[in-house]
Amino acid sequence: MKTNNKKVNKTTTVNGTMAVTKSELEMDYVQFLPDNPSVGQVEAFRGRGLGQLLNNGSFEFTRTKRLRRKPEYQGYYASLSFCADGFDRVTFVVPNELRSKLPTILRKGIYRIILHLIKKGFAK
């Protein structure tokens, strides 16, 4: 059986008033207050996105996905990620109780990341 993975776009029009709170430097808060509020009129969501308020009062919001990548290398306390924003990240996560061993953990973690990069052909 073949499944259909097409997304369904649903548009809902809501009339209301928009309240915009501004400070001297920037717009701090935008709130939409519907004329006839009712539960279930639209689906609630929370997410990242780009909001645009035009001079004529039109407002639009487009959700954007957070670009996450799985680590290229994952060790005990260190990971290496090549990220979509153009930066490479080395991350260490060490429990507080191992703080006294932190210099050794950092040294070993970086050494293993360097070996991984050499193996993959990124370094000589």
Side-chain angles (χ1 to χ4, degrees), residues 40-51:
Q41 190 172 8
V42 293
E43 276 187 45
F45 76 92
R46 178 185 174 123
R48 296 172 46 116
L50 178 64

Side-chain angles (χ1 to χ4, degrees), residues 57-85:
S58 299
F59 181 78
E60 64 180 27
F61 180 82
T62 307
R63 290 187 71 168
T64 56
K65 284 189 173 183
R66 182 174 176 190
L67 299 175
R68 294 184 182 191
R69 295 253 176 136
K70 290 186 178 181
E72 173 74 23
Y73 169 81
Q74 181 72 50
Y76 291 114
Y77 303 108
S79 65
L80 169 68
S81 299
F82 300 138
C83 300
D85 61 2

